[in-house]
Amino acid sequence: MRRILHSFLLTLISISALAQIPANYYSTATGTGAALKTQLNAIITNGHIDHGYNGLWTGYATTDRDYYYENDGTILDIYSERPTAADPYNFTYQTGQCGGNNGGEGFCYNREHIVPQSLFSEASPMKNDIHFIRATDAKVNGMRSNYPFGKVGTATFTSLNGSKLGNSVSANYSGTVFEPIDEFKGDVARMIFYFVTRYETKLSGFSSGNMLGTTAYPGLQTWELNQLLAWHNLDPVSPAEIGRNDASYLYQGNRNPYIDNPNYVNLVWGTPTTDTQAPTAPTNLVANNPTASTVALSWTASTDNIGVTGYDVYANGVLKSTVSGTSATVQALNSSTTYNFYIIAKDAAGNPSPQSNIATETTLAGSGGGTGTCGTEDFENITGTGNGYETRIWTNNNITWTATDARIDQTINGKAITVQNGSLTSSSISGGIQSLTVTTQRKFGGTSSALNLQINGTTVGTIPYSDAVTTTIINNINVSGNVIIKLVNPVASNRVAIDDLSWTCAASLSTVENSKEKAFSIYPNPVRNHELFVKGENLSKVLKAEIYDLSGKLIKNIANPFKNSNKINLHGVTKGVYILKTDNNTTKFIVD
C-alpha cells in the first residue's frame, strides 16, 4: 500500500516533539575506520538500559507500529509488509503475539533476532536489544532460522511479501541465506552494523554463523560485509527507520548511529579490500577408527591472513562434507573399500588452500550383507537452555539439525528434542536411507498419535508415540542419493520427545534386481507406449508399487497398484532407466 505524505509529515512532527538526536551525542565520533567504530561503540553503550527479553513486547508498542504504509497502527512486520500493495495479513499489537512458531503465516508475531541469538548463546544484553530485534511473523521467523542474510538464487521458501530463503548467489558464499524484500534490505544492513558496533568487544566469544567476524574490526565476514554495504547503498534510510530509531532511544536509551548518520557506514568500512590470499594447506591428516561405513579424520589447522572459515573433506576425490573444526567422521562409505582422504581449507572470501597430505584407510567388512548403521543422532550436542518452544539448531556428525517449535529440557535416554507444533529436519545427507529407528515419548499429557516421516519431502511412514517410551523401526524406505530426513508432528497440542535416531544407508537401487516370487516379470521392456505390464502370483494382494529413477528419487507411489489390472500407467514419465519396487520385488526397466 502507498506511503501517505500527510501521515509522513505528522510522523515527522511527532518525532521532532518526542525524540531528537541529543545535542553533542556524536561529538566524540571524529575518527575513521576501526577508530570511528570504537568511538561509536562507546557512545551507544553509554545509556543503554536492558529491559529484559519480555520488555521487548512493551517496546514494540512504540517501535514496531505501522504509521508509514497503512498508517493503521498494526505491527510493522518487514516479512509481510507490502509497500505498494495490500498486505496479506496484519497483526494487532499485543493480541497477535506469541512465543514460537504456532501456525502458518499470519497466525501470530514474535521476536526476530536479525543477528541470531544462538550466535551469542542467548546472553544478555544482546538477547534483549530492541535495535536489532524486530516484531515479525512467527512462521517466517522460523523459516529464516539462524541463516545469514544474502542474495537468494533458487528459493526453497518465499513469504507472502516476497522474502526468500534459498541458496546464496552473494559473491564468495554458497550456503543457505535469507533475503528480505528491497524495501527493508538497508534496514537489515544497518541493524547488523549496529550490532557489530555495539558489541564489538564481545565478538571474539560469539559464533560466526557465517556472518559475524571474530575481531572488533571489521566485525563481519568479508562476503557478508560486502553484501550489507551494497544493501545499505541500495536502500537509503526511510522515515520508518527514523521513527523506530527515535522510539528505541526513548525505550532503551541509546541510538543506531548508522540511521542517524548513514555516512558513518562508509567512514567506518569504506570499500573493503578484496581478499585474494589463500589459506595454507592443512597438515598432519590422519585417518583411523574405521567401521563398515565410517572413518574418523583429524588434522592440523591451516592459517590465513584473515581467517579460515571451514574445511572441505574429500574421499576418493568426492566432497563428503564441510566442517569448521579440525576433525570429522566421514559417513556413508562402502564396506571393505579403501579410501584416499584429503582436506582443503577455505577462507571467508572463498579462497581454497592447497590440499592436505593424503591419508588412506580401509572400511571394515559389512555384516550379513546389510548396510549397517549409516548415521546416528543422540541429541547430546544440542546447545542452549530453557523450556521455551523455539527454533533449535545444532550440528553433530557433520549433519545440521533444525527443530521448530521445540524445547530442549526433556529427556528420554539422556538429552532429547521435544517438538510441539513443528518438525525435526536434517541437512542433506549422503548415502541414502534404507531403514530408520527412533525412540519417542509424549510429554505433559495429550493424545496418542504418530509423527510423519518424510524423506526428501515425501511421507514414507509414520512413527507412533504415546506416554510410554516407544522405539520404532521403519524398513524398506530405499531412497538412495542425498536425502533430507524430516519428522513432523501433525498434532499441535501434543509435545513429543524424540531420541536415539539412527538409519541405515540405502542399497543402490540402480544395481538391485531381485524377485522373491520367481514368476514375477515385467513387459515390454523397453516400454514404448506408456504402459508397463506385470506378471506374478497374487498380484491383487500387492499393497504398494514405487518407481524410482537411478538417483533414488521417487517418481511414482501407487497404492494397491494391481487391484483392477496388471498394468502401470507411465504417462508423464520421461525416457530413461527406472526401478520398479513392489512389496517383495525390485526390478529395472527402461522407458523408450
Side-chain angles (χ1 to χ4, degrees), residues 535-562:
K535 286 183 178 180
E537 299 175 358
N538 300 318
L539 287 180
S540 62
K541 296 181 180 180
V542 173
L543 298 178
K544 181 171 63 174
E546 297 168 319
I547 296 175
Y548 296 86
D549 66 18
L550 292 187
S551 73
K553 179 182 178 181
L554 181 65
I555 305 299
K556 277 183 174 289
N557 186 354
I558 309 166
N560 303 310
F562 310 118

Side-chain angles (χ1 to χ4, degrees), residues 47-49 51 128-131 194 247-254:
H48 180 176
I49 302 169
H51 290 290
N128 318 318
D129 190 333
I130 204 164
H131 276 293
Y194 164 88
S248 297
Y249 173 65
L250 290 175
Y251 166 77
Q252 188 169 283
N254 67 341

Side-chain angles (χ1 to χ4, degrees), residues 507-582:
S508 175
L509 286 172
S510 61
T511 60
V512 172
E513 190 160 357
N514 63 69
S515 174
K516 293 184 179 180
E517 297 174 8
K518 299 301 181 182
F520 183 89
S521 64
I522 61 174
Y523 66 97
N525 194 5
V527 177
R528 292 186 173 88
N529 294 312
H530 308 294
E531 291 183 337
L532 177 67
F533 291 84
V534 177
K535 286 183 178 180
E537 299 175 358
N538 300 318
L539 287 180
S540 62
K541 296 181 180 180
V542 173
L543 298 178
K544 181 171 63 174
E546 297 168 319
I547 296 175
Y548 296 86
D549 66 18
L550 292 187
S551 73
K553 179 182 178 181
L554 181 65
I555 305 299
K556 277 183 174 289
N557 186 354
I558 309 166
N560 303 310
F562 310 118
K563 182 177 181 180
N564 299 314
S565 73
N566 68 329
K567 69 180 179 182
I568 295 176
N569 188 327
L570 296 177
H571 282 280
V573 178
T574 59
K575 291 183 179 181
V577 182
Y578 297 87
I579 306 298
L580 170 64
K581 181 178 181 293
T582 62

Side-chain angles (χ1 to χ4, degrees), residues 69-230:
Y69 300 95
E70 296 99 320
N71 191 34
D72 60 1
T74 59
I75 291 296
L76 178 48
D77 169 21
I78 63 174
Y79 294 160
S80 65
E81 177 62 48
R82 290 173 174 167
T84 60
D87 289 352
Y89 50 84
N90 293 114
F91 295 120
T92 301
Y93 172 69
Q94 261 184 333
T95 59
Q97 70 191 36
C98 60
N101 177 15
N102 297 327
E105 282 191 66
F107 185 81
C108 61
Y109 72 92
N110 61 8
R111 296 159 288 192
E112 159 74 311
H113 291 74
I114 297 299
V115 176
Q117 59 179 321
S118 60
L119 303 189
F120 47 82
S121 301
E122 303 180 30
S124 296
M126 291 74 66
K127 179 179 180 178
N128 318 318
D129 190 333
I130 204 164
H131 276 293
F132 75 98
I133 307 173
R134 297 294 300 250
T136 67
D137 179 89
K139 170 66 176 179
V140 185
N141 182 356
M143 294 302 298
R144 184 257 161 151
S145 186
N146 67 349
Y147 294 112
F149 287 90
K151 186 78 172 171
V152 168
T154 301
T156 57
F157 168 80
T158 302
S159 78
L160 294 177
N161 85 329
S163 302
K164 296 182 288 188
L165 179 74
N167 68 296
S168 170
V169 292
S170 294
N172 299 314
Y173 186 69
S174 59
T176 301
V177 294
F178 190 88
E179 180 181 356
I181 63 173
D182 289 349
E183 179 77 7
F184 301 114
K185 285 178 176 173
D187 306 49
V188 166
R190 288 179 282 274
M191 283 187 279
I192 296 175
F193 291 150
Y194 164 88
F195 180 92
V196 298
T197 300
R198 170 64 181 85
Y199 301 109
E200 69 171 18
T201 61
K202 298 177 180 288
L203 288 175
S204 61
F206 294 166
S207 300
S208 76
N210 293 314
M211 61 186 295
L212 300 180
T214 58
T215 56
Y217 189 84
L220 288 161
Q221 293 194 18
T222 302
W223 81 269
E224 180 76 298
L225 175 59
N226 285 330
Q227 183 62 78
L228 296 179
L229 287 173

Side-chain angles (χ1 to χ4, degrees), residues 379 382-390 392 394 405-420 441 443-444 495-498:
F379 303 94
I382 300 177
T383 58
T385 59
N387 58 7
Y389 290 95
E390 302 174 6
R392 311 284 185 166
W394 68 98
D405 200 23
R407 60 193 291 167
I408 59 178
D409 61 331
Q410 299 299 302
T411 62
I412 298 180
N413 298 317
K415 283 187 177 180
I417 190 74
T418 301
V419 176
Q420 188 174 14
Q441 183 184 26
K443 301 287 187 177
F444 312 110
R495 289 144 293 182
V496 186
I498 302 169

Side-chain angles (χ1 to χ4, degrees), residues 240-293:
E241 279 184 277
I242 295 171
R244 190 178 196 277
N245 193 27
D246 288 328
S248 297
Y249 173 65
L250 290 175
Y251 166 77
Q252 188 169 283
N254 67 341
R255 304 184 67 85
N256 184 334
Y258 305 109
I259 295 174
D260 287 334
N261 184 354
N263 193 45
Y264 281 148
V265 174
N266 296 324
L267 290 172
V268 170
W269 286 284
T271 302
T273 302
T274 302
D275 177 16
T276 59
Q277 181 175 327
T280 62
T283 56
N284 303 317
L285 175 63
V286 175
N288 53 29
N289 296 328
T291 69
S293 60

